[in-house]
Amino acid sequence: MKQSVSLMLFFVFAATAVAQTGTIEITVYNQNTERPLENAEVHLIETDEREKSNAEGKVWFTGILPGTYALSISHRSFPIPINVTVEVTAGHTTQTRVSLGEVFELETVVVEGERIPPTISRKDIRGSELLRIAGVGTDALKGLTTLPSIGIPNDFFGILYIRGSEPGSNLYYLDRTQLGYPFHWGGFLSTISSETIETIDIYAGGYGAEFGLDSQTVLDIHTRDSIEERLDGKFNLNILYSEGLLEGRIGDKGYISVSGRRSYFDLIAGPIAKAQTGTEQQFPFFFRLSNQT
């Protein structure tokens, strides 16, 4: 009777001990072939236990108290071991898959390059640079004729021929609004106040879809949006026309400009022709009034 009780107590204590511990199951694979790796050494660092993997690449550690354990797996064919960490839970088997293979340390390669612009044919030029070109006067667009592949029909008219295309094939934008009439009298003078031009982007071809497909060249003109002076202005009087520009700051960031131009060929030639012929004569003239805020 005493032997039966002792044997029963033994099994009860053994079952309790097993229930309070866990098992670690490691499966080792060959990284190159993805097949189980035999004779891999698995070292349970905390208990200093070492086991070899079987033909199925498996290793078990039983009766492990709950906690976190570190394992080191190595093989004679692969000099660099693999270190893993596993979490053991009482009454459970923690399964971990490990792959061993050759490790190559590659040489560091650094590649540097310039970013390709969205449009490779784009040319940027500032309006102030154009006005400093000799012979331009007060018309910045005439300064564009000094750039390669841009020309004019003669010395008096500034209408532009770009890359051999006819002037009608060129598309003009002013602050991303299409400019229908960029010149007075077909090229005599541009309709834009050159002093307000910040930059001109020239797309001689290959430009983006935002400009459409029905033009040879795009001239994207941007006006400035601020000045340093509180108030500034400029006036020009000559025998053919008069023009003026008035600019001012509004607060710290605000900006306003008003410009106007009027030719007076009709005012001079009209009375002379009427005196000679006795009839009213109509002569061409141009004018422009614009503001920006």
Side-chain angles (χ1 to χ4, degrees):
M1 182 66 180
K2 292 182 179 180
Q3 293 179 349
S4 299
V5 173
S6 299
L7 185 61
M8 183 179 297
L9 292 175
F10 172 78
F11 283 111
V12 170
F13 290 142
T16 303
V18 172
Q20 293 178 350
T21 60
T23 301
I24 300 176
E25 179 183 311
I26 304 294
T27 305
V28 185
Y29 288 88
N30 187 323
Q31 181 178 317
N32 301 324
T33 62
E34 289 298 328
R35 300 181 63 179
L37 184 62
E38 188 177 3
N39 291 326
E41 183 180 88
V42 181
H43 180 202
L44 184 58
I45 297 176
E46 281 74 11
T47 63
D48 200 28
E49 296 182 61
R50 299 175 185 268
E51 297 289 343
K52 296 283 189 179
S53 60
N54 59 18
E56 297 178 352
K58 292 185 178 296
V59 173
W60 290 270
F61 295 98
T62 60
I64 307 300
L65 294 175
T68 303
Y69 293 85
L71 297 166
S72 178
I73 302 96
S74 60
H75 192 273
R76 61 179 181 273
S77 299
F78 309 110
I80 301 178
I82 297 294
N83 298 318
V84 297
T85 302
V86 297
E87 187 73 24
V88 177
T89 305
H92 293 82
T93 298
T94 301
Q95 297 179 335
T96 302
R97 173 189 172 119
V98 178
S99 295
L100 289 178
E102 297 182 7
V103 178
F104 299 94
E105 184 177 355
L106 301 178
E107 180 183 357
T108 301
V109 178
V110 179
V111 179
E112 297 181 355
E114 296 182 0
R115 182 177 180 181
I116 299 177
T119 304
I120 59 176
S121 66
R122 174 176 169 176
K123 172 66 176 178
D124 301 342
I125 187 168
R126 300 185 64 84
S128 57
E129 296 176 358
L130 293 172
L131 290 176
R132 287 198 294 265
I133 298 176
V136 171
T138 61
D139 196 347
L141 293 188
K142 285 188 177 181
L144 296 176
T145 60
T146 61
L147 300 178
S149 73
I150 300 180
I152 54 177
N154 52 58
D155 294 336
F156 302 100
F157 291 92
I159 192 168
L160 303 179
Y161 288 83
I162 303 177
R163 296 183 64 185
S165 65
E166 61 178 4
S169 298
N170 302 327
L171 191 61
Y172 294 81
Y173 279 88
L174 180 62
D175 291 331
R176 286 305 173 95
T177 300
Q178 189 169 351
L179 190 62
Y181 300 95
F183 296 98
H184 295 299
W185 286 353
F188 176 74
L189 184 68
S190 63
T191 59
I192 308 169
S193 294
S194 298
E195 291 80 5
T196 64
I197 295 177
E198 183 72 23
T199 59
I200 300 178
D201 300 334
I202 305 171
Y203 299 87
Y207 47 83
E210 68 269 25
F211 297 117
L213 301 174
D214 55 349
S215 60
Q216 168 69 24
T217 302
V218 173
L219 287 90
D220 194 15
I221 305 170
H222 302 276
T223 59
R224 62 184 175 213
D225 55 8
S226 64
I227 58 174
E228 296 181 359
E229 296 81 5
R230 179 63 61 178
L231 185 65
D232 194 14
K234 183 177 182 180
F235 296 91
N236 177 32
L237 303 176
N238 55 56
I239 61 174
L240 296 178
Y241 63 90
S242 299
E243 62 179 353
L245 169 68
L246 186 63
E247 301 176 288
R249 285 169 49 186
I250 302 177
D252 295 332
K253 298 183 179 180
Y255 167 76
I256 184 172
S257 69
V258 179
S259 61
R261 179 185 293 141
R262 171 65 157 88
S263 67
Y264 35 77
F265 178 74
D266 60 314
L267 300 179
I268 298 175
I272 297 176
K274 183 178 181 180
Q276 293 180 349
T277 62
T279 60
E280 191 76 26
Q281 298 289 331
Q282 296 293 329
F283 289 91
F285 69 95
F286 60 81
F287 71 94
R288 179 189 60 82
L289 179 66
S290 64
N291 64 82
Q292 177 185 358
T293 57

